[in-house]
Amino acid sequence: SRAMNVLIGGAVVWVTWAIGRTVWPKRPYLAVGGAAIVAFNPMFLFMSGAINNDVIAALGGAAITLATVRLLRDEQGLRLRCGMILGILFGLALLSKSNLAAIIVTIELALTWVAWRKKQWRHWLYANVLLVLFTLLIAGWWFLRNQFLYGEPTGFQRLTELWGVR
């Protein structure tokens, strides 16, 4: 329903604020400013009031960004839960919009940077295994379903047949 989409839009604004607080902990006004830019963007307001998957995709992307920023700021480095959390978030993001597959680059850059900085290559391997496992557990069934139904994992070809190329 629209009310649910409005709540998800509010969550995107909150996650944007949390990203700002993580990146600039001593400058809270930057976090508020970032959240305000998202909250008062006319297109974001419109999309939050309509029924669509764009706002939940924005939440998925923002949640992954927050998780990677926190990972980069964490002094302890890689822990097993990093791969699990990132896999869950990535799987949920892929279910909202498969275009979010590209955010794997951000995830891998963060994991690799932390592993290199802390010399935690074994943890990097474990985190990647967990990332793949949890992503497949959450979103793998959807891509398999599409493969069986449409002959390709995303369903874009069938969608293009129905709606045409825009």
Side-chain angles (χ1 to χ4, degrees), residues 3-18:
M4 184 58 130
N5 226 36
V6 169
L7 290 174
I8 294 168
V12 173
V13 172
W14 180 83
V15 172
T16 303
W17 173 84

Side-chain angles (χ1 to χ4, degrees), residues 30-163:
L30 291 174
V32 171
I37 288 170
V38 172
F40 298 114
N41 179 301
M43 191 61 172
F44 184 77
L45 286 169
F46 173 77
M47 296 304 282
S48 293
I51 298 174
N52 61 67
N53 64 338
D54 291 329
V55 177
I56 198 158
L59 180 59
I64 289 170
T65 302
L66 177 61
T68 56
V69 166
R70 286 188 173 167
L71 172 63
L72 292 169
R73 303 282 282 179
D74 190 356
E75 291 300 318
Q76 294 180 4
L78 292 176
R79 289 173 277 175
L80 291 179
R81 71 180 182 148
C82 295
M84 183 179 69
I85 290 168
L86 287 168
I88 291 168
L89 292 174
F90 188 50
L92 291 171
L94 287 174
L95 286 177
S96 69
K97 256 192 174 181
S98 57
N99 304 31
L100 282 168
I103 206 164
I104 191 67
V105 174
T106 302
I107 294 169
E108 282 305 321
L109 284 173
L111 287 171
T112 303
W113 175 258
V114 172
W116 177 77
R117 193 178 70 202
K118 299 286 186 179
K119 308 295 184 247
Q120 295 179 320
W121 294 108
R122 183 177 294 159
H123 285 31
W124 176 86
L125 180 63
Y126 295 149
N128 274 288
V129 167
L130 288 171
L131 170 70
V132 169
L133 285 175
F134 277 91
T135 301
L136 288 174
L137 276 171
I138 291 174
W141 68 271
W142 180 255
F143 294 104
L144 284 173
R145 171 201 172 271
N146 287 339
Q147 184 67 43
F148 288 128
L149 286 177
Y150 309 122
E152 53 102 9
T154 62
F156 284 152
Q157 185 176 357
R158 179 71 180 132
L159 189 65
T160 304
E161 291 169 5
L162 291 172
W163 292 96

